[in-house]
Amino acid sequence: MPRATVIGLGKSGVAAARLLKREGWEVELSDGNTSETLLQQQQQLAAEQITVKLGQSPELNGANLPQLIVVSPGVPWDIPVLVEARELGIETIGEMELAWRNLQALPWVGITGTNGKTTTTALIAAIFQAAELDAPACGNIGYAACEVALSCSTGTETPIQNQKSKIQNCIDWVIAEISSYQVESSSSLAPRIGVWTTFTPDHLSRHQTLENYYNIKAKLLRQSELQVFNGDDAYLSKLGISAWPDAYWTSVRGKDFLISEKGFYIEDDWVVEKLSATSAPEPIVKVSTLRMVGEHNQQNLLMAVATARLAGISRDAIALAIREFPGVAHRLEHICTWEGIDFINDSKATNYDAAEVGLASVKSPAILIAGGEAKAGDDTGWLAKIHSKAAAVLLIGSAAPVFAQRLQEVGYYSYHIVETMERAVPRAAELAKEYQAPVVLLSPACASFDQFPNFEVRGDRFRQLCLDWAKAKKLQYNSILSSPLP
């Protein structure tokens, strides 16, 4: 029996281990951490004859080496054990690559980019599903890619597909949000349609240089049969058709700004399709149908519509999906309104560019909650947007002192270090009343790992605190109204 090691006991690692086990591999799953939750998972997987080792890295010594190592997305590609494995000739791949090898008979949409991936992926999946296609969103959103592969390789019911299935008719499309980490660890992944949303400096602590980061993402697009690009992105548009001559480009600014003679653009509130140099422009869907705010969401809309049309989806299905699309959790998600103040969760804004877009998209003046685990990057545009749109900034997490210093350096002094989300929410509401600000916005410009396991948990905590606070204020108000007059 061939031996495989899976590194990382997250959702992706567990799905990969189960998929390998089903294919007849002897599987060992390892994770450098240990906790009560992981110990429970260890016991559960042991019952499935999957060995789990916690608190340690795999050891590559002796004669009984694995033939395959599968890496979860969050595990750095250059940790010593993986470098050693490659030197020993052990095939080392990511969880996404394993899923691809099981599902490559199906058409894929692969969405990558620095920002905008999640919204674009969710919108594409919604359109495909409105067209009555079985097209689960997976990867960095929804299911782990190997969970989708598991649903197709079994004859049992799954959460993804509530019917007995075989690989040839299991689903219609795979809609995968693919991070640079997942592209880096995938050698043969080749989507039918590749989408590149944006490109700005991010994850440089892992990828070292902007050139490395670009080349990793570019690999996915080069291996895609059809390519869709955000033509309004400064970096991508500068490369243009000289680097990507066959791509379909998009622009919210109209036909005159389309980089090539084929693509999708906005004109008179319509998304317009032009599939070739000689084809007539064709209106597809009204932009105003989309409920999400911000120019960046119009860019996401264009890329989603382009993908759907290249997949042969009708205008009616596109219009239906866009009309009903609610938006994405943690990305400019409206939580509640209290006394005219909107509380908005933008926890997914984990870098300066995303946080700048978040501020640009809401009404001003805003009360901003920012901070967490700081990332490398250019904060100039973000700081300028704070100057123009934020009445006050509340700083949380380990980045708070650094952000306070940066704000001082650019002459902005209306900030408060509050350290925790629990302190930030009530203080933000007070300041919103004081400054007559219509919005309290969580848009951290930081990773979450100093205080939360991930940005979702951070956003969930913000949501709960906002709802609890608004409920308490309502009860307090009703209590005052019901009290007898003296």
Side-chain angles (χ1 to χ4, degrees), residues 203-378:
H203 305 302
L204 297 187
S205 59
R206 172 154 170 171
H207 299 313
Q208 305 304 319
T209 69
L210 192 64
E211 183 181 14
N212 285 344
Y213 181 42
Y214 173 85
N215 286 335
I216 288 167
K217 289 192 173 293
K219 182 175 79 168
L220 180 74
L221 275 293
R222 291 192 186 104
Q223 293 181 182
S224 299
E225 185 179 329
L226 300 169
Q227 303 155 344
V228 175
F229 278 78
N230 176 6
D232 296 320
D233 181 82
Y235 195 100
L236 297 176
S237 62
K238 197 175 294 183
L239 296 171
I241 56 174
S242 60
W244 303 97
D246 299 319
Y248 292 84
W249 292 84
T250 65
S251 180
V252 300
R253 294 177 291 173
K255 183 180 179 181
D256 292 343
F257 291 88
L258 209 58
I259 287 172
S260 71
E261 294 184 316
K262 61 181 184 181
F264 293 75
Y265 56 91
I266 292 176
E267 188 171 83
D268 298 328
D269 192 41
W270 281 89
V271 172
V272 180
E273 167 187 285
K274 195 172 189 308
L275 291 179
S276 70
T278 55
S279 64
E282 183 180 347
I284 303 300
V285 66
K286 272 189 167 290
V287 177
S288 53
T289 309
L290 186 70
R291 287 191 269 172
M292 295 183 295
V293 299
E295 185 179 278
H296 67 292
N297 278 321
Q298 293 182 4
Q299 293 169 344
N300 297 336
L301 171 67
L302 277 172
M303 290 180 285
V305 171
T307 301
R309 293 297 288 167
L310 293 176
I313 292 175
S314 71
R315 284 177 292 182
D316 288 345
I318 292 170
L320 173 64
I322 291 166
R323 187 165 58 247
E324 296 184 349
F325 188 70
V328 176
H330 312 297
R331 193 68 184 105
L332 292 171
E333 174 193 10
H334 181 268
I335 302 300
C336 62
T337 301
W338 173 77
E339 294 195 7
I341 302 164
D342 291 326
F343 290 76
I344 295 177
N345 169 23
D346 197 33
S347 181
K348 198 174 190 307
T350 59
N351 57 49
Y352 299 119
D353 297 287
E356 182 184 346
V357 167
L359 260 177
S361 301
V362 300
K363 297 174 186 175
S364 60
I367 305 301
L368 173 66
I369 301 172
E373 185 178 287
K375 286 184 175 181
D378 183 359

Side-chain angles (χ1 to χ4, degrees), residues 332 340-344 346 355-370 382 385-394 412 414-416 427-443 462:
L332 292 171
I341 302 164
D342 291 326
F343 290 76
I344 295 177
D346 197 33
E356 182 184 346
V357 167
L359 260 177
S361 301
V362 300
K363 297 174 186 175
S364 60
I367 305 301
L368 173 66
I369 301 172
W382 178 63
K385 193 63 68 178
I386 287 174
H387 251 301
S388 64
K389 296 206 65 166
V393 180
L394 299 174
Y412 186 95
S414 185
Y415 67 84
H416 310 264
R427 184 74 177 116
E430 292 168 6
L431 289 170
K433 294 290 284 183
E434 180 182 332
Y435 287 101
Q436 296 185 312
V439 172
V440 168
L441 173 68
L442 169 67
S443 194
F462 174 74

Side-chain angles (χ1 to χ4, degrees), residues 55-108:
Q56 58 183 290
S57 292
E59 293 183 359
L60 302 178
N61 48 40
N64 201 20
L65 293 173
Q67 284 78 52
L68 177 68
I69 294 179
V70 179
V71 185
S72 296
V75 177
W77 194 234
D78 58 355
I79 59 173
V81 68
L82 296 183
V83 174
E84 182 186 0
R86 290 191 286 268
E87 289 173 351
L88 290 168
I90 300 171
E91 185 177 19
T92 306
I93 63 173
E95 178 262 347
M96 183 69 69
E97 172 73 11
L98 179 64
W100 164 255
R101 293 181 182 186
N102 281 266
L103 296 173
Q104 58 187 304
L106 300 171
W108 283 51

